[in-house]
Short mmCIF file of all heavy atoms in Angstrom, two decimals:
data_model
loop_
_atom_site.label_atom_id
_atom_site.label_comp_id
_atom_site.label_asym_id
_atom_site.label_seq_id
_atom_site.Cartn_x
_atom_site.Cartn_y
_atom_site.Cartn_z
N SER A 7 83.61 91.58 117.95
CA SER A 7 84.31 91.41 116.68
C SER A 7 83.34 91.16 115.55
O SER A 7 83.52 91.67 114.43
CB SER A 7 85.33 90.26 116.78
OG SER A 7 84.68 89.03 117.02
N PHE A 8 82.28 90.39 115.82
CA PHE A 8 81.27 90.14 114.78
C PHE A 8 80.63 91.46 114.33
O PHE A 8 80.50 91.73 113.14
CB PHE A 8 80.20 89.19 115.30
CG PHE A 8 79.02 89.08 114.36
CD1 PHE A 8 79.10 88.33 113.21
CD2 PHE A 8 77.84 89.75 114.64
CE1 PHE A 8 78.02 88.25 112.35
CE2 PHE A 8 76.76 89.68 113.78
CZ PHE A 8 76.85 88.92 112.63
N LYS A 9 80.25 92.27 115.29
CA LYS A 9 79.61 93.55 114.95
C LYS A 9 80.55 94.46 114.17
O LYS A 9 80.14 95.13 113.22
CB LYS A 9 79.13 94.24 116.23
CG LYS A 9 77.95 93.54 116.90
CD LYS A 9 77.51 94.28 118.16
CE LYS A 9 76.29 93.63 118.78
NZ LYS A 9 75.86 94.31 120.02
N LYS A 10 81.82 94.46 114.56
CA LYS A 10 82.78 95.30 113.87
C LYS A 10 83.05 94.79 112.45
O LYS A 10 83.17 95.56 111.50
CB LYS A 10 84.09 95.37 114.67
CG LYS A 10 83.98 96.20 115.94
CD LYS A 10 85.28 96.26 116.69
CE LYS A 10 85.15 97.12 117.94
NZ LYS A 10 84.89 98.53 117.62
N LEU A 11 83.13 93.47 112.30
CA LEU A 11 83.34 92.89 110.98
C LEU A 11 82.15 93.18 110.06
O LEU A 11 82.31 93.41 108.86
CB LEU A 11 83.56 91.38 111.10
CG LEU A 11 84.91 90.98 111.70
CD1 LEU A 11 84.89 89.51 112.11
CD2 LEU A 11 86.03 91.23 110.71
N LEU A 12 80.96 93.17 110.66
CA LEU A 12 79.76 93.49 109.89
C LEU A 12 79.82 94.95 109.41
O LEU A 12 79.47 95.25 108.27
CB LEU A 12 78.52 93.26 110.75
CG LEU A 12 77.20 93.00 110.02
CD1 LEU A 12 77.32 91.81 109.08
CD2 LEU A 12 76.08 92.76 111.02
N GLU A 13 80.29 95.83 110.28
CA GLU A 13 80.44 97.25 109.90
C GLU A 13 81.42 97.38 108.74
O GLU A 13 81.20 98.15 107.80
CB GLU A 13 80.96 98.05 111.10
CG GLU A 13 79.97 98.24 112.23
CD GLU A 13 80.60 98.94 113.41
OE1 GLU A 13 81.74 99.43 113.27
OE2 GLU A 13 79.97 98.99 114.49
N ALA A 14 82.52 96.62 108.81
CA ALA A 14 83.53 96.68 107.75
C ALA A 14 82.95 96.23 106.43
O ALA A 14 83.19 96.84 105.38
CB ALA A 14 84.73 95.81 108.13
N ARG A 15 82.17 95.17 106.48
CA ARG A 15 81.60 94.64 105.24
C ARG A 15 80.61 95.61 104.64
O ARG A 15 80.59 95.85 103.44
CB ARG A 15 80.92 93.31 105.51
CG ARG A 15 80.34 92.72 104.25
CD ARG A 15 80.48 91.22 104.21
NE ARG A 15 80.32 90.77 102.85
CZ ARG A 15 79.47 89.83 102.48
NH1 ARG A 15 78.72 89.23 103.37
NH2 ARG A 15 79.37 89.47 101.22
N ILE A 16 79.76 96.18 105.48
CA ILE A 16 78.76 97.13 104.99
C ILE A 16 79.43 98.37 104.40
O ILE A 16 79.01 98.90 103.37
CB ILE A 16 77.79 97.51 106.13
CG1 ILE A 16 76.91 96.30 106.48
CG2 ILE A 16 76.91 98.70 105.72
CD1 ILE A 16 76.03 96.50 107.70
N SER A 17 80.52 98.83 105.04
CA SER A 17 81.22 100.02 104.55
C SER A 17 81.83 99.77 103.17
O SER A 17 82.00 100.71 102.38
CB SER A 17 82.30 100.46 105.53
OG SER A 17 83.39 99.56 105.55
N ALA A 18 82.17 98.52 102.86
CA ALA A 18 82.77 98.20 101.57
C ALA A 18 81.73 98.05 100.46
O ALA A 18 82.08 98.05 99.28
CB ALA A 18 83.59 96.90 101.68
N LEU A 19 80.46 97.95 100.84
CA LEU A 19 79.41 97.74 99.85
C LEU A 19 79.26 98.92 98.89
O LEU A 19 78.83 98.75 97.75
CB LEU A 19 78.08 97.44 100.53
CG LEU A 19 77.99 96.10 101.28
CD1 LEU A 19 76.60 95.89 101.84
CD2 LEU A 19 78.38 94.94 100.37
N GLU A 20 79.61 100.13 99.35
CA GLU A 20 79.52 101.30 98.47
C GLU A 20 80.47 101.13 97.28
O GLU A 20 80.14 101.48 96.14
CB GLU A 20 79.85 102.57 99.25
CG GLU A 20 79.70 103.83 98.41
CD GLU A 20 79.94 105.10 99.22
OE1 GLU A 20 79.96 105.02 100.46
OE2 GLU A 20 80.11 106.16 98.59
N ILE A 21 81.67 100.60 97.56
CA ILE A 21 82.65 100.36 96.50
C ILE A 21 82.14 99.29 95.55
O ILE A 21 82.26 99.40 94.32
CB ILE A 21 84.00 99.94 97.10
CG1 ILE A 21 84.56 101.06 97.97
CG2 ILE A 21 85.00 99.57 96.00
CD1 ILE A 21 85.79 100.68 98.74
N VAL A 22 81.54 98.25 96.11
CA VAL A 22 80.99 97.16 95.30
C VAL A 22 79.87 97.68 94.41
O VAL A 22 79.83 97.40 93.20
CB VAL A 22 80.46 96.02 96.21
CG1 VAL A 22 79.72 94.98 95.37
CG2 VAL A 22 81.60 95.37 96.97
N ALA A 23 78.95 98.44 95.00
CA ALA A 23 77.81 98.96 94.25
C ALA A 23 78.28 99.87 93.11
O ALA A 23 77.74 99.81 91.99
CB ALA A 23 76.88 99.73 95.19
N LYS A 24 79.28 100.71 93.37
CA LYS A 24 79.82 101.61 92.33
C LYS A 24 80.41 100.79 91.18
O LYS A 24 80.19 101.09 90.00
CB LYS A 24 80.88 102.52 92.94
CG LYS A 24 81.46 103.55 91.96
CD LYS A 24 82.42 104.47 92.69
CE LYS A 24 82.95 105.56 91.76
NZ LYS A 24 83.84 105.00 90.71
N GLY A 25 81.16 99.74 91.53
CA GLY A 25 81.74 98.90 90.51
C GLY A 25 80.69 98.19 89.67
O GLY A 25 80.83 98.08 88.44
N MET A 26 79.63 97.74 90.32
CA MET A 26 78.55 97.07 89.60
C MET A 26 77.87 98.02 88.62
O MET A 26 77.56 97.64 87.48
CB MET A 26 77.54 96.51 90.60
CG MET A 26 78.08 95.35 91.44
SD MET A 26 76.98 94.87 92.81
CE MET A 26 75.56 94.25 91.91
N LEU A 27 77.66 99.27 89.05
CA LEU A 27 77.03 100.26 88.18
C LEU A 27 77.91 100.58 86.97
O LEU A 27 77.40 100.93 85.89
CB LEU A 27 76.74 101.55 88.96
CG LEU A 27 75.59 101.48 89.96
CD1 LEU A 27 75.53 102.75 90.79
CD2 LEU A 27 74.25 101.26 89.23
N GLU A 28 79.22 100.44 87.13
CA GLU A 28 80.15 100.71 86.04
C GLU A 28 80.35 99.48 85.15
O GLU A 28 81.15 99.50 84.22
CB GLU A 28 81.50 101.16 86.61
CG GLU A 28 81.43 102.51 87.33
CD GLU A 28 82.74 102.86 88.03
OE1 GLU A 28 83.61 101.97 88.13
OE2 GLU A 28 82.87 104.02 88.47
N GLY A 29 79.60 98.40 85.45
CA GLY A 29 79.68 97.20 84.63
C GLY A 29 80.92 96.36 84.87
O GLY A 29 81.32 95.56 84.00
N LYS A 30 81.53 96.51 86.04
CA LYS A 30 82.75 95.76 86.34
C LYS A 30 82.43 94.47 87.11
O LYS A 30 81.46 94.40 87.85
CB LYS A 30 83.71 96.62 87.17
CG LYS A 30 84.24 97.82 86.43
CD LYS A 30 85.15 98.64 87.31
CE LYS A 30 85.68 99.86 86.54
NZ LYS A 30 86.55 100.71 87.39
N ASN A 31 83.25 93.46 86.89
CA ASN A 31 83.17 92.24 87.68
C ASN A 31 83.76 92.53 89.05
O ASN A 31 84.77 93.25 89.16
CB ASN A 31 83.93 91.10 87.01
CG ASN A 31 83.25 90.61 85.74
OD1 ASN A 31 82.03 90.45 85.72
ND2 ASN A 31 84.04 90.37 84.70
N ILE A 32 83.15 91.96 90.07
CA ILE A 32 83.60 92.20 91.44
C ILE A 32 84.28 90.95 91.98
O ILE A 32 83.71 89.86 91.95
CB ILE A 32 82.42 92.57 92.37
CG1 ILE A 32 81.59 93.71 91.77
CG2 ILE A 32 82.94 92.93 93.76
CD1 ILE A 32 82.35 95.00 91.55
N LEU A 33 85.50 91.12 92.44
CA LEU A 33 86.27 90.02 93.02
C LEU A 33 86.62 90.41 94.45
O LEU A 33 87.43 91.30 94.67
CB LEU A 33 87.53 89.76 92.21
CG LEU A 33 88.47 88.64 92.65
CD1 LEU A 33 87.71 87.31 92.75
CD2 LEU A 33 89.64 88.52 91.69
N ARG A 34 85.99 89.76 95.40
CA ARG A 34 86.23 90.10 96.81
C ARG A 34 87.25 89.17 97.43
O ARG A 34 87.07 87.96 97.46
CB ARG A 34 84.93 90.00 97.62
CG ARG A 34 83.77 90.78 97.03
CD ARG A 34 82.57 90.66 97.95
NE ARG A 34 81.34 90.90 97.23
CZ ARG A 34 80.31 91.56 97.71
NH1 ARG A 34 80.36 92.07 98.91
NH2 ARG A 34 79.21 91.72 96.99
N ASP A 35 88.32 89.77 97.88
CA ASP A 35 89.29 89.03 98.69
C ASP A 35 88.75 89.14 100.11
O ASP A 35 89.06 90.07 100.83
CB ASP A 35 90.66 89.69 98.55
CG ASP A 35 91.71 89.03 99.42
OD1 ASP A 35 91.37 88.12 100.19
OD2 ASP A 35 92.87 89.44 99.35
N ARG A 36 87.91 88.18 100.46
CA ARG A 36 87.11 88.38 101.67
C ARG A 36 87.65 87.62 102.86
O ARG A 36 87.83 86.41 102.83
CB ARG A 36 85.66 87.96 101.40
CG ARG A 36 84.72 88.32 102.54
CD ARG A 36 83.28 88.18 102.14
NE ARG A 36 82.86 86.80 102.05
CZ ARG A 36 81.71 86.41 101.51
NH1 ARG A 36 80.90 87.29 100.99
NH2 ARG A 36 81.37 85.16 101.47
N TYR A 37 87.83 88.35 103.92
CA TYR A 37 88.26 87.76 105.18
C TYR A 37 87.14 87.83 106.21
O TYR A 37 87.22 87.22 107.26
CB TYR A 37 89.49 88.52 105.69
CG TYR A 37 90.17 87.90 106.87
CD1 TYR A 37 90.74 86.64 106.78
CD2 TYR A 37 90.26 88.58 108.08
CE1 TYR A 37 91.39 86.07 107.87
CE2 TYR A 37 90.90 88.03 109.16
CZ TYR A 37 91.47 86.78 109.05
OH TYR A 37 92.11 86.23 110.12
N VAL A 38 86.09 88.58 105.88
CA VAL A 38 85.06 88.87 106.87
C VAL A 38 84.27 87.63 107.29
O VAL A 38 84.18 87.30 108.46
CB VAL A 38 84.10 89.97 106.36
CG1 VAL A 38 82.92 90.13 107.29
CG2 VAL A 38 84.85 91.30 106.27
#
């Protein structure tokens, strides 16, 4: 489960990085 959760978090980083480049604030509803 830890490894899978880590995969989930890493896969979401692309969305985070895109938002940061667009100058948006990032709010993570994080369960990981």
Side-chain angles (χ1 to χ4, degrees):
S7 63
F8 170 77
K9 290 181 177 179
K10 288 181 179 295
L11 288 166
L12 203 57
E13 289 175 10
R15 181 143 198 233
I16 291 173
S17 71
L19 292 183
E20 183 176 346
I21 298 173
V22 172
K24 183 176 183 292
M26 292 170 66
L27 287 173
E28 294 173 349
K30 295 179 180 178
N31 290 316
I32 309 300
L33 180 56
R34 307 183 204 219
D35 176 356
R36 188 167 74 191
Y37 188 62
V38 171

